[in-house]
Amino acid sequence: MSNTLLQLVADLERGTINVIDLTVPLGPDTQVIGLPPMFAPSPGVTLDVISRYDEKGPAWYWNTVTMGEHTGTHFDAPVHWISGKDLPHNATDTIPARRFVGPGCVIDVSTESTANPDFLLTPEHISSWEAQHGRIPSGAWVLLRTDWSKRSGAAFLNADATGPHTPGFHKSASAFLAHDRDVLGVGVETIGTDAGQAGTFDPPFPNHGIMHGAGKFGLASLCNLDQLPPTGSLIIAPPLKLVNGSGSPLRVLALVQR
């Protein structure tokens, strides 16, 4: 084992590097995105016991799990969106594993999102962040801290007669991050990587279209972003290796030096 890896193991054992779990619990109560009635809905989580130390399996416990690929804390692959459907290595089983790991850049817009649930990040916000914390490096995960994960129930979806109202990215910010900064992808605390009102934008759902069209990824329903520094974390976000998978639930971890 290299000195670098040995040092990492030692730092983990000493607690000088913390492992922060950015994943929400996944179960029958996990909320799923709502779509207009003309579109096929995504199912919630169903757990059916196969056996639990009983006549069906006296020494073991396991379940059958049913859910949509984009449930709970989940990964969006480029093939998830029409703009990325023809790209090479665009599904969860073909994306090189190296691309699931990268430095974290956390942009804190929690104050703005509290004041305006429809807040959109712009390139100007990114430039202001970079003036304080340095240029976003190529291959980074850009995580939008809104503190939305601290909400629950109806307040999490925050929907009314006009649809959900949750913060996200202006299309110009998505294009800037994908093309000018060449990020791995973006992560959010909301149920999806587009703003709640993005279905009404021109074009609709621009973050999905721009990011996945550029071969970039998305992470949704993250939590504990308030425990990460603006820079200096390492994000590890590998999805399940589903054949031709458009995404999957996953366990997102951040390594942070104490």
Side-chain angles (χ1 to χ4, degrees):
M1 187 180 293
S2 71
N3 288 338
T4 300
L5 294 179
L6 286 171
Q7 184 63 49
L8 174 61
V9 171
D11 287 342
L12 288 168
E13 289 180 347
R14 285 195 297 266
T16 54
I17 290 181
N18 290 338
V19 180
I20 308 298
D21 192 347
L22 307 184
T23 316
V24 300
L26 185 63
D29 294 331
T30 300
Q31 297 190 69
V32 296
I33 195 167
L35 298 174
M38 72 281 289
F39 300 123
S42 179
V45 179
T46 302
L47 293 173
D48 293 312
V49 175
I50 300 173
S51 69
R52 187 160 186 162
Y53 327 121
D54 53 24
E55 66 278 2
K56 296 179 181 179
W60 52 91
Y61 164 55
W62 52 354
N63 301 297
T64 298
V65 183
T66 302
M67 73 184 84
E69 290 174 318
H70 300 263
T71 303
T73 302
H74 65 270
F75 182 97
D76 290 350
V79 74
H80 175 46
W81 217 251
I82 191 169
S83 57
K85 71 182 183 67
D86 295 322
L87 295 178
H89 313 300
N90 63 354
T92 54
D93 62 325
T94 58
I95 298 168
R98 168 65 187 86
R99 299 192 66 205
F100 302 137
V101 181
C105 294
V106 181
I107 301 179
D108 183 357
V109 295
S110 55
T111 299
E112 294 87 341
S113 299
T114 298
N116 176 18
D118 293 315
F119 170 83
L120 298 178
L121 186 80
T122 66
E124 290 73 25
H125 293 114
I126 299 171
S127 295
S128 177
W129 184 93
E130 288 188 325
Q132 185 174 0
H133 303 291
R135 182 184 173 98
I136 294 171
S138 175
W141 285 106
V142 173
L143 309 180
L144 192 65
R145 177 188 165 189
T146 60
D147 286 350
W148 216 257
S149 61
K150 297 179 181 180
R151 295 179 173 227
S152 61
F156 179 69
L157 297 178
N158 199 39
D160 60 18
T162 63
H165 296 271
T166 57
F169 298 89
H170 190 276
K171 63 182 179 182
S172 58
S174 298
F176 180 81
L177 291 171
H179 300 297
D180 293 86
R181 291 298 180 264
D182 191 27
V183 300
L184 280 178
V186 296
V188 298
E189 296 179 72
T190 50
I191 205 164
T193 60
D194 263 294
Q197 289 288 296
T200 68
F201 294 175
D202 182 20
F205 306 107
N207 186 71
H208 279 81
I210 292 167
M211 281 287 162
H212 299 324
K216 310 303 183 182
F217 315 133
L219 301 173
S221 292
L222 299 173
C223 64
N224 295 329
L225 296 188
D226 57 345
Q227 298 183 34
L228 302 186
T231 63
S233 63
L234 182 69
I235 308 300
I236 305 171
L240 297 175
K241 200 171 184 177
L242 301 175
V243 174
N244 202 34
S246 72
S248 86
L250 77 169
R251 191 84 176 253
V252 183
L253 304 177
L255 303 184
V256 180
Q257 191 162 21
R258 180 177 291 181

